[in-house]
Amino acid sequence: MKTTQAVQTTSTNGSAPQSLIEIESLLQEHYALYKGNQDGAVANYIPELAKVEPDEFGMAVATQAGEIVTAGDAKAPFTIQSISKAYTFAMLLDEAGREETYAAVGVQPSGDPFNAITLDARTNRPFNPMVNAGAIAVAGRLRQVLGAGAFDRVLDLFSRAAGRALDVDERVFESEKETGHRNRAIGHLLRAAEVFDVPVDDVLDVYFRQCSIRVTATDLAVMGATLANLGINPITKQDVFGMDAVRDTLSVMFTCGMYDGAGDWATRVGLPAKSGVGGGIIAVVNRQIGIGVFSPRLDEAGNSVRGKLCCIGLADGLGLHAFDATNPGSSFLRGMAKWD
Ligand code: GLU
């Protein structure tokens, strides 16, 4: 991985180019600003998660050109949890196509808690792949399509997106398996609704394992940059996801990625993102950068407190919001229509 400071990236708001040095100094600034913030609480409904070190705090940005800048504990490992949902959704789109994927799960924000044992009454399918019901539906379809090797394929895909071999935190996996009664109930509901036709325990094995994959803030930044870079890992240059899968995944991240805080996030930060109860947040600036943040204390919506503050700071500092007033929009369309 390169960490050269020579590459220039262009700001979305049309102002002067932002150099990596500038991004790095923003990361350092926000790290120092929020390091002492102890608001929120670590997730404790999964017993192993209650044992994490609450003060760890790391940030990373990876660019489409394959450059990485970091601040703080950017190499500290934690479990990916719900951030995995974005990537298994992209995987199912690639493996099974849109028709089969959308026969199993919708793309509507639910307004319900992430672990609600409920389906969309109109479709008898989960509302979207970012809540547990939707992610378990996706895991079920992957298990059905790929057979017993499904999780190995998930781990391999996540590793290619991160650009290094990832592994599973077996303790967190066992802890989730032991205590995940709501998720088991959701699994049975989905099987009864014929969303998948394989044993619920096999499906939950995939789901609990995907949530227990160990990553760092740097890994998340590279995984985000892989989505930003149209599915190609910008460091290894490996083709990881198809373009349709990337487009659909970023769309659902934008509308549903941040639990019950998704609307606030879309308005305040304006980027497709996904958080997990392990304290990670991933955010994507289309065609430009991936952002990874890790800090285990969560707010009431389940999002990392310091992670959210950092993403707001980066979005403001670099003009990243998709609908920023100074965003020049698509010069391609303007040229075609001879606007101006
Ligand atoms: N494995 C966790 C669960 O199913 C993931 C939750 C999350 O990160 O939102 O409860």
Side-chain angles (χ1 to χ4, degrees):
M1 287 180 191
K2 294 178 283 177
T3 52
T4 167
Q5 302 185 328
V7 167
Q8 301 279 306
T9 56
T10 307
S11 156
T12 50
N13 66 9
S15 62
Q18 304 280 356
S19 70
L20 281 183
I21 297 169
E22 225 175 305
I23 297 176
E24 187 165 25
S25 75
L26 256 184
L27 289 184
Q28 296 294 351
E29 186 189 312
H30 287 90
Y31 178 76
L33 197 58
Y34 299 124
K35 191 170 165 38
N37 183 323
Q38 298 194 337
D39 293 347
V42 302
N44 59 9
Y45 74 99
I46 299 169
E48 270 305 307
L49 284 189
K51 298 181 188 165
V52 301
E53 167 48 62
D55 289 325
E56 282 184 329
F57 181 28
M59 286 180 268
V61 167
T63 72
Q64 198 194 18
E67 313 291 340
I68 296 176
V69 288
T70 67
D73 305 318
K75 292 267 178 263
F78 57 95
T79 52
I80 190 167
Q81 295 298 337
S82 274
I83 298 167
S84 66
K85 294 169 177 171
Y87 289 84
T88 51
F89 175 57
M91 183 177 180
L92 183 62
L93 283 162
D94 275 339
E95 292 292 339
R98 279 186 170 132
E99 200 176 329
E100 183 171 337
T101 301
Y102 294 130
V105 65
V107 290
Q108 293 298 331
S110 74
D112 291 325
F114 74 96
N115 58 1
I117 306 175
T118 183
L119 300 177
D120 184 338
R122 294 167 311 144
T123 59
N124 211 29
R125 294 289 176 264
F127 282 93
N128 68 70
M130 303 294 155
V131 291
N132 286 12
I136 295 168
V138 168
R141 297 303 303 187
L142 284 172
R143 181 64 179 74
Q144 192 164 322
V145 172
L146 301 174
F151 178 71
D152 289 344
R153 294 277 299 275
V154 169
L155 186 61
D156 178 63
L157 190 83
F158 283 31
S159 298
R160 284 193 285 129
R164 74 177 184 98
L166 302 176
D167 65 2
V168 170
D169 185 326
E170 293 291 339
R171 285 197 190 153
V172 172
F173 166 66
E174 290 298 338
S175 188
E176 291 213 40
K177 193 171 159 183
E178 186 77 24
T179 58
H181 307 301
R182 289 190 72 89
N183 289 327
R184 207 157 275 121
I186 291 170
H188 286 286
L189 179 68
L190 293 170
R191 183 142 194 215
E194 297 178 354
V195 172
F196 52 75
D197 188 24
V198 282
V200 169
D201 284 344
D202 292 352
V203 173
L204 288 174
D205 192 76
V206 173
Y207 175 71
F208 291 141
R209 281 188 187 278
Q210 77 180 59
C211 290
S212 305
I213 291 174
R214 230 182 321 231
V215 290
T216 66
T218 303
D219 292 328
L220 290 186
V222 177
M223 291 175 80
T226 297
L227 292 180
N229 194 33
L230 303 177
I232 296 170
N233 182 313
I235 293 162
T236 65
K237 312 291 184 214
Q238 273 195 325
D239 205 343
V240 186
F241 299 109
M243 279 196 272
D244 288 348
V246 169
R247 195 183 81 157
D248 289 16
T249 301
L250 291 175
S251 305
V252 180
M253 287 167 72
F254 195 82
T255 51
C256 309
M258 299 298 283
Y259 303 119
D260 293 342
D264 291 338
W265 178 275
T267 308
R268 184 67 189 86
V269 183
L271 294 177
K274 183 75 198 89
S275 57
V277 292
I281 297 181
I282 195 165
V284 177
V285 183
N286 196 28
R287 311 294 293 269
Q288 296 194 63
I289 60 173
I291 300 170
V293 190
F294 167 55
S295 172
R297 291 193 189 90
L298 311 178
D299 64 16
E300 281 170 7
N303 297 315
S304 166
V305 173
R306 291 187 296 192
K308 186 173 169 181
L309 289 169
C310 288
C311 289
I312 290 172
L314 285 180
D316 286 352
L318 298 171
L320 303 180
H321 191 299
F323 307 116
D324 196 288
T326 52
N327 191 318
S330 166
S331 53
F332 172 69
L333 273 187
R334 281 229 303 265
M336 277 182 54
K338 302 208 183 327
W339 296 337
D340 281 333

